[in-house]
Amino acid sequence: MKIGFCGLGRMGVPMVRRLLQAGHEVHVWNRSPGPLGEIRAAGAQVCATPRELGDRCAWVALCLFDAAAVRDVVFGAEGLAQAGALELLIDHSSIPPAETCEFSDRLVRANGAVWLDAPVSGGTGGAAAGTLAIMAGGPADACARATPLLMAYASRVTHMGPTGCGQVTKLCNQTIVTTTVAAIAESIALARDAGVNAARLNEALAGGWADSTLLQIFVPRMTQAPGPAQATLDTMLKDLDAVAALARAQGTAMPVAAATGQSYRLASRQGLGAEDASQLIQLYERARKRPDGEEHR
């Protein structure tokens, strides 16, 4: 197929590579020129504007940071909404459900194109391996038509209901992920303060009720030297803020998520926002340090 793709960040680049490897003709646009050379060398065709992308491709996927970026790319000057060929917009960005519904209605009025909200889970590793989980909202027939294409970088596509339902499902995902990561960080701090080798927690708890993919991934990330960021603390905070806004709007009580959000906000205020989510552990590491540099016990 011919597919357009906007957003060549940590997730977008491996997703485009998977599309190219699957034999699709991929046209791309990105706000900054940094990754364009790499993607062009891999076989993608570069467009000068989102509108040009939508003029070339009937189907366009987005993978952008937030709702402001989505609004600008779709409805801004030279945006996708002005394109003549656009028929289906697949939004992999994680944005609030209310704004997804607003954007969908606005796009229909602009040119009749269908909006499929299709946020992803699985991180950069899942994107590279083609094992992402996609939770979709929008017309069921549009999801069914898009699924064969999406399977280039996903192992599962689940239609969750009308427009916005994919984003609500992603917020459920992020609630579970962020609170679990915070619980793992607290468990590591508890073990270290007791003199226990925290680096073996994932081994010791494997197969028990506390075991999970997150436990097996984040204990090593938190107890070893940090590597390149895969999902940043500020990205997690953005999603937690969206969780809080949705919960407040519909009256859902979420005390655990609310408390977790304050931990991520504190980490961001301490300059850790651009670090990998595993570096939430630094909140506890810094708390163990005395002014003389020694650790509290």
Side-chain angles (χ1 to χ4, degrees):
M1 290 187 61
K2 180 193 289 187
I3 177 74
F5 201 101
C6 290
L8 301 176
R10 289 186 179 91
M11 295 293 292
V13 167
M15 291 164 80
V16 169
R17 286 190 173 278
R18 293 288 307 186
L19 288 168
L20 290 167
Q21 290 164 9
H24 299 295
E25 178 183 329
V26 186
H27 298 249
V28 300
W29 176 86
N30 197 57
R31 191 183 305 269
S32 62
L36 291 176
E38 169 192 349
I39 290 300
R40 181 188 283 114
Q45 301 181 43
V46 177
C47 297
T49 65
R51 179 176 181 174
E52 180 185 344
L53 191 71
D55 283 334
R56 292 188 191 182
C57 304
W59 290 16
V60 175
L62 309 179
C63 193
L64 304 169
F65 179 69
D66 58 14
V70 173
R71 181 184 293 107
D72 185 51
V73 168
V74 179
F75 302 109
E78 295 298 310
L80 285 166
Q82 303 176 45
L86 184 66
E87 296 177 0
L88 177 63
L89 190 150
I90 304 166
D91 186 20
H92 293 309
S93 316
S94 295
I95 66 175
E99 289 180 278
T100 288
C101 294
E102 173 198 335
F103 294 163
S104 176
D105 291 344
R106 187 174 171 185
L107 185 63
V108 168
R109 293 194 302 270
N111 68 2
V114 172
W115 190 293
L116 191 69
D117 54 298
V120 303
S121 182
T124 55
T131 58
L132 292 175
I134 297 179
M135 47 228 79
D141 61 337
C143 182
R145 286 187 290 120
T147 293
L149 174 79
L150 300 179
M151 294 301 286
Y153 41 74
S155 60
R156 181 182 303 107
V157 179
T158 307
H159 182 249
M160 296 300 295
T163 303
C165 290
Q167 296 294 354
V168 173
T169 306
K170 178 60 184 286
L171 293 182
C172 294
N173 179 86
Q174 295 303 82
T175 299
I176 295 168
V177 170
T178 54
T179 56
T180 302
V181 168
I184 292 169
E186 291 189 2
S187 298
I188 288 173
L190 184 68
R192 284 176 168 169
D193 285 349
V196 172
N197 182 3
R200 298 192 67 188
L201 279 176
N202 58 319
E203 174 189 350
L205 303 181
W209 279 18
D211 196 13
S212 68
T213 299
L214 289 171
L215 182 78
Q216 296 303 325
I217 290 174
F218 275 89
V219 168
R221 284 191 195 174
M222 290 181 179
T223 56
Q224 299 171 10
Q230 297 192 34
T232 68
L233 284 161
D234 273 351
T235 298
M236 296 295 194
L237 178 59
K238 168 187 71 76
D239 292 341
L240 278 166
D241 284 343
V243 169
L246 179 61
R248 185 167 54 250
Q250 59 191 28
T252 306
M254 301 187 71
V256 175
T260 300
Q262 294 307 308
S263 294
Y264 283 79
R265 196 173 311 283
L266 181 60
S268 183
R269 289 293 298 270
Q270 291 189 4
L272 296 169
E275 300 293 329
D276 186 78
S278 62
Q279 295 315 294
L280 190 66
I281 191 66
Q282 292 299 326
L283 290 182
Y284 304 95
E285 291 299 296
R286 292 174 181 182
R288 299 178 74 213
K289 301 292 184 181
R290 300 193 313 219
D292 58 9
E294 295 295 321
E295 292 185 351
H296 287 287
R297 279 297 309 274

